[in-house]
């Protein structure tokens, strides 16, 4: 059984194995397929039309399947690798361990956001931007510039206390746990982290930055925590809802998996705590 660990507890060997597997997927071209898929859904998901990966109840199960596919791709390179998660409510500064040169590297330079250290810096020669939003071929970050503060644990707790999964109109205007976690309402958790990292993470091609996977692994963990606290709170909508993925509808682009199939993460992996 795969165990997803807090990145702050990873050994040097675990960090290296994760980085090496990510770089191997990049060399093979498989990594960029994940970037392309995510960008396609960011561009297509709208509040007034069909929405699957974002702005909708299926935000959480869609990303759970997306992360599972990526984790399994990593494990096809190195079976020992699991997705780590970044608890941004605790590791909240630019000096946190994940930004060190031996893991993800740090922030970008002030002039153009170019990441200058770590295995994903352009100077290392292993991380060209193939799926771009502009002509710049290098990974970009701007940690803590567009927004200064990452979410606090108190803010996380306030969202975990919401007892309803989602509600009409099932988009970015909805109340409920899903939308408060996604960040269109309330204290803004998931969206704020994307903007805090900046650079590619603030765009549809956010998986160009490997921190995307650590961020979403923590979002996924928060969903699991919420499920434990609210065992009687069901995924909604259950059926007959236009433009969104109901409980037993299949999700694009896979068309073989339903939110109902992904409610229990323990069939696939556990967390270290």
């Amino acid at each position: 059984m795969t165990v997803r660990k807090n990145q702050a507890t990873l050994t040097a060997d675990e960090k290296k194995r994760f980085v090496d597997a990510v770089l191997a997927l990049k060399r093979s071209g498989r990594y960029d397929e994940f970037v392309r898929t995510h960008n396609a859904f960011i561009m297509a998901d709208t509040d007034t039309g069909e929405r699957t990966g974002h702005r909708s109840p299926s935000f959480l199960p869609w990303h759970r399947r997306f992360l599972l596919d990526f984790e399994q791709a990593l494990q096809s390179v190195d079976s020992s690798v699991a997705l780590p998660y970044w608890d941004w409510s605790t590791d909240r500064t630019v000096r946190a361990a994940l930004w060190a040169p031996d893991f993800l590297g740090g922030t970008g330079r002030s002039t153009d956001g170019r990441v200058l250290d770590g295995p994903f810096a352009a100077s290392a020669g292993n991380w060209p931007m193939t799926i771009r939003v502009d002509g710049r071929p290098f990974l970009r970050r701007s940690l803590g510039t567009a927004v200064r503060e990452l979410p606090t644990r108190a803010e996380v707790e306030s969202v975990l206390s919401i007892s309803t999964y989602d509600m009409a109109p099932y988009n970015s205007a909805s109340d409920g746990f899903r939308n408060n976690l996604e960040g269109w309402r309330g204290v803004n958790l998931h969206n704020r982290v994307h903007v805090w990292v900046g650079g590619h993470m603030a765009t549809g091609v956010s998986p160009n930055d490997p921190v995307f996977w650590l961020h979403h692994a923590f979002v996924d963990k928060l969903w699991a925590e919420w499920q434990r606290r609210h065992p009687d709170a069901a995924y909604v909508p259950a059926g007959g809802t236009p433009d969104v993925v109901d409980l037993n509808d299949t999700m694009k682009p896979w068309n073989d998996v339903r939110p109902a199939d992904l409610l229990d993460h323990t069939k696939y992996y556990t967390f270290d705590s």
Side-chain angles (χ1 to χ4, degrees):
M1 174 66 72
T2 296
V3 179
R4 294 183 179 176
K5 299 180 181 179
N6 189 325
Q7 61 79 29
T9 70
L10 296 180
T11 66
D13 182 63
E14 287 171 329
K15 290 180 183 179
K16 185 177 187 304
R17 285 177 176 273
F18 175 77
V19 168
D20 286 350
V22 170
L23 293 176
L25 292 183
K26 181 71 167 178
R27 287 192 299 272
S28 72
R30 295 176 70 188
Y31 192 97
D32 287 338
E33 289 304 311
F34 288 96
V35 181
R36 185 176 288 109
T37 295
H38 187 268
N39 191 49
F41 279 85
I42 279 279
M43 300 304 291
D45 291 329
T46 65
D47 275 343
T48 56
E50 184 178 353
R51 48 200 182 274
T52 302
H54 309 85
R55 300 172 177 262
S56 64
S58 51
F59 166 73
L60 290 167
W62 190 92
H63 280 87
R64 179 165 284 177
R65 171 60 187 264
F66 192 54
L67 265 65
L68 271 168
D69 283 359
F70 183 70
E71 187 168 58
Q72 289 164 5
L74 292 173
Q75 291 170 346
S76 73
V77 176
D78 183 340
S79 62
S80 74
V81 172
L83 276 179
Y85 63 88
W86 166 33
D87 179 353
W88 28 254
S89 71
T90 299
D91 294 313
R92 304 178 64 245
T93 75
V94 299
R95 295 175 297 281
L98 77 163
W99 306 120
D102 69 338
F103 198 22
L104 302 186
T107 194
R109 63 187 177 191
S110 59
T111 53
D112 57 7
R114 178 171 173 159
V115 172
L116 299 176
D117 67 345
F120 306 105
S123 59
N126 298 316
W127 205 250
M129 294 296 97
T130 308
I131 315 300
R132 305 178 188 172
V133 293
D134 56 34
R136 289 174 286 186
F138 47 81
L139 178 62
R140 293 182 289 109
R141 292 187 190 126
S142 186
L143 305 183
T145 299
V147 293
R148 296 189 63 181
E149 296 291 333
L150 287 165
T152 65
R153 188 65 205 181
E155 289 172 326
V156 168
E157 289 294 331
S158 74
V159 173
L160 290 173
S161 72
I162 298 171
S163 60
T164 301
Y165 180 77
D166 210 339
M167 60 185 67
Y170 299 115
N171 61 18
S172 69
S174 300
D175 288 315
F177 167 73
R178 184 275 309 171
N179 202 28
N180 279 266
L181 176 56
E182 190 173 354
W184 303 108
R185 298 281 277 192
V187 295
N188 184 359
L189 300 184
H190 156 267
N191 288 348
R192 194 197 324 178
V193 176
H194 275 273
V195 177
W196 185 89
V197 176
H200 285 97
M201 274 284 280
T203 73
V205 295
S206 49
N208 270 325
D209 192 332
V211 77
F212 172 93
W213 307 104
L214 284 72
H215 169 36
H216 272 275
F218 187 57
V219 171
D220 186 78
K221 185 175 186 290
L222 292 178
W223 181 25
E225 287 187 27
W226 180 85
Q227 290 174 302
R228 285 194 296 273
R229 295 188 191 194
H230 306 277
D232 297 324
Y235 177 95
V236 290
T241 314
D243 294 326
V244 302
V245 181
D246 294 319
L247 177 64
N248 289 300
D249 291 344
T250 57
M251 291 188 294
K252 298 177 179 178
W254 308 281
N255 300 315
D256 64 357
V257 64
R258 309 165 300 162
D261 302 320
L262 293 163
L263 299 182
D264 180 9
H265 71 90
T266 64
K267 294 186 291 186
Y268 309 100
Y269 54 87
T270 59
F271 294 100
D272 56 355
S273 61

